[in-house]
Amino acid sequence: MHVVIVGAGPTGFVLSLVLARAGIEVTLLDKESSIDLRPRAAHLAPAGIRVLKRAGILDDVRRAGFTPDNFTWRKRGGEPIVSYKDIGQKENPEHWTVLPLNLLGPIMLSHAEKNSNISVKFGHRVISTGQDGTAAWAVIQANDGTEKKVVADFLVGCDGGTSQVRKSIFGPRNFPGKTWDVQLVATNIRYPFEKYGYDDMNTIVHPDDAHVAARITKDGLWRVSYNEDTKLTHEEVVKNCPVKFERMLPGNPKPGEYTLVDINPYKQHQRCVEKMRVGRICVAADAAHLCNPWGGLGLTGGFADIAGLAECLEGIHSGQADHSILDKWDEVRRDIYQSYINPISTANFIRVAQLDLDRALEDPFFSMVLKSNTDPEVKKKLDESVYAVCHDFTQYYKAKA
Ligand SMILES: Cc1cc2nc3c(=O)[nH]c(=O)nc-3n(C[C@H](O)[C@H](O)[C@H](O)COP(=O)(O)OP(=O)(O)OC[C@H]3O[C@@H](n4cnc5c(N)ncnc54)[C@H](O)[C@@H]3O)c2cc1C
């Protein structure tokens, strides 16, 4: 079997590695000349860790990253509201790992380059896709402007929120859902948050200055992400950043008291396609569904998508499943988005800006987090809830039926 995967982002790479390890030939195409190094996902939850292990890269990921300690929600200025102790689940073999995508990318690339079943092609922009009863294909435009067709048994779009694969199936504007009227500004900075008693993960709840402050590397780089008016241009966002930092961060630092390493604004959406499988073409992860990043469910859900898709394609390849298993994948994955990822990420988004701070612990989620500090059963339930995005598709194999 040969699979074309569009998009050498985290999900495209990991799907390639898992399929290649099952003996499936993969061509991985990306429009850029190298890996995307912008500040985005950094927190890899247990559901994602599970598929990184199947991809054969977990040991390297663990070496490069670290396991976070606590996640504390705070008031502006730093006063704690409630703490999720040991969110990293140090005792769980699938414990969390913090590793930003710009450090994860080179690990994935070096493993892919060593696997003879994978052919990675940067500088290959997919401009359309097609299929018939026996094959699926991508029409690609190389950097020199030439066009060619790559034909395979299946094609998977892991090409992110602006997916060309999705557009080629459903049209340029058909991505049901909504866009929030605030943009998220993601920054990487060096600043001594530890001095102010911050844990590895912190969310500051505030109507105007809600933000995340999380350590993302072993050597003390921090991610600070905050909401900003959508009307501001990129230049205005950069110009306003020192004003926001001085008002929001503990110690009210002025420029020169921190180092701004990177800054990038993102639109925030809640969107999901009507179908994740059409014949021999599938769309997965951000190409298929988007959620705001408050709570880090984007890549977690994407990794769960491709873990399931790999099981389906491996089942077809080995003769243990027929093509109808892909309809099951489509049905289950969209249901998990609609029943879990979309409502939870929406609740996270609303909580950080709209919570009544005088009655914060009446919030059902905060009340559960507080109970988990003293009740091991509640802590266990909370820890296990991060697996809600997973689904085992081998249960639909013919041999098991
Ligand atoms: C600030 C921020 C913080 C986040 N933090 C977290 C977090 O902590 N945990 C978490 O789970 N999620 C987080 N997310 C979400 C996470 O970053 C995304 O869900 C994830 O990157 C999606 O991965 P992907 O592989 O689907 O797509 P992408 O990472 O977007 O990769 C898509 C790839 O496709 C390529 N491509 C696009 N179009 C074409 C084309 N036409 N032809 C060929 N190639 C193409 C692109 O070049 C790119 O390499 C965060 C997001 C943001 C913005």
Side-chain angles (χ1 to χ4, degrees):
M1 183 192 281
H2 176 205
V3 178
V4 174
I5 298 174
V6 183
T11 64
F13 261 120
V14 172
L15 180 61
S16 302
L17 289 162
V18 176
L19 294 180
R21 281 161 65 94
I24 296 170
E25 192 193 333
V26 175
T27 304
L28 177 61
L29 308 170
D30 201 284
K31 66 183 167 65
E32 300 298 337
S33 54
S34 59
I35 300 165
D36 185 348
L37 297 177
R38 287 172 305 157
R40 294 188 299 157
H43 293 86
L44 308 173
I49 294 296
R50 185 173 281 183
V51 70
L52 295 182
K53 182 156 196 237
R54 277 173 59 199
I57 63 173
L58 185 58
D59 290 346
D60 285 352
V61 169
R62 294 277 203 230
R63 261 190 295 278
F66 68 95
T67 306
D69 53 20
N70 308 320
F71 186 164
T72 299
W73 285 262
R74 300 175 186 276
K75 296 182 182 172
R76 195 174 65 180
E79 184 192 332
I81 301 169
V82 68
S83 238
Y84 184 156
K85 307 277 186 210
D86 183 30
I87 189 167
Q89 304 182 30
K90 289 197 176 62
E91 299 301 315
N92 180 351
E94 295 174 331
H95 58 82
W96 288 66
T97 296
V98 181
L99 187 67
L101 290 188
N102 61 311
L103 299 181
L104 178 62
I107 294 175
M108 298 187 296
L109 177 61
S110 80
H111 279 260
E113 282 174 341
K114 279 185 235 143
N115 192 312
S116 58
N117 280 342
I118 304 176
S119 168
V120 185
K121 293 182 190 300
F122 284 108
H124 282 59
R125 176 188 293 275
V126 171
I127 52 171
S128 64
T129 62
Q131 60 179 312
D132 59 21
T134 57
W137 56 85
V139 177
I140 55 180
Q141 192 174 50
N143 282 346
D144 62 7
T146 54
E147 280 183 22
K148 62 181 171 188
K149 204 166 153 183
V150 183
V151 183
D153 298 297
F154 293 95
L155 183 147
V156 183
C158 288
D159 48 343
T162 58
S163 171
Q164 187 56 41
V165 176
R166 184 187 67 237
K167 289 173 188 165
S168 76
I169 303 173
F170 299 110
R173 298 197 196 289
N174 190 355
F175 196 11
K178 66 173 182 188
T179 299
W180 295 98
D181 62 0
V182 281
Q183 58 184 322
L184 186 88
V185 182
T187 69
N188 288 346
I189 72 165
R190 294 200 182 271
Y191 184 63
F193 287 94
E194 299 89 344
K195 202 171 107 183
Y196 300 93
Y198 272 41
D199 292 296
D200 284 338
M201 296 164 77
N202 309 269
T203 287
I204 285 61
V205 181
H206 191 274
D208 306 313
D209 286 332
H211 63 279
V212 167
R215 184 164 72 93
I216 57 166
T217 64
K218 289 200 256 197
D219 73 351
L221 188 66
W222 284 70
R223 165 71 45 77
V224 174
S225 302
Y226 55 89
N227 282 338
E228 188 56 287
D229 189 337
T230 32
K231 289 196 274 304
L232 296 192
T233 62
H234 192 126
E235 290 70 32
E236 287 166 337
V237 163
V238 174
K239 199 169 158 216
N240 200 34
C241 180
V243 180
K244 288 285 271 187
F245 278 2
E246 185 170 349
R247 200 170 62 213
M248 296 186 322
L249 302 188
N252 306 102
K254 297 198 181 317
E257 295 177 294
Y258 54 84
T259 308
L260 180 65
V261 177
D262 215 333
I263 177 164
N264 220 62
Y266 297 91
K267 285 186 179 153
Q268 305 186 79
H269 312 268
Q270 307 295 135
R271 294 184 183 275
C272 184
V273 282
E274 285 158 13
K275 286 267 172 212
M276 288 172 68
R277 181 246 170 148
V278 176
R280 291 174 176 269
I281 302 182
C282 296
V283 281
D286 275 19
H289 46 74
L290 293 169
C291 64
N292 73 77
W294 297 88
L297 282 172
L299 185 54
T300 305
F303 276 152
D305 278 355
I306 55 112
L309 183 56
E311 285 166 357
C312 296
L313 292 172
E314 282 171 40
I316 295 170
H317 178 58
S318 63
Q320 290 173 281
D322 58 38
H323 288 206
S324 66
I325 196 171
L326 293 171
D327 288 329
K328 193 75 195 167
W329 175 78
D330 163 53
E331 179 197 322
V332 170
R333 294 314 316 168
R334 280 185 300 110
D335 182 58
I336 287 175
Y337 174 83
Q338 298 296 3
S339 62
Y340 183 82
I341 294 174
N342 187 32
I344 298 279
S345 58
T346 299
N348 290 340
F349 182 93
I350 292 171
R351 184 183 299 109
V352 296
Q354 295 182 16
L355 190 77
D356 177 352
L357 284 170
D358 294 329
R359 305 172 61 189
L361 293 176
E362 289 173 28
D363 174 84
F365 175 67
F366 280 176
S367 149
M368 187 175 179
V369 172
L370 184 66
K371 269 200 204 112
S372 74
N373 293 172
T374 50
D375 185 337
E377 279 307 308
V378 177
K379 164 79 168 123
K380 189 163 169 254
K381 206 168 150 197
L382 204 53
D383 286 351
E384 285 173 356
S385 68
V386 294
Y387 286 104
V389 296
C390 298
H391 189 88
D392 174 10
F393 287 88
T394 64
Q395 66 186 292
Y396 309 115
Y397 283 4
K398 286 184 267 184
K400 290 209 173 168

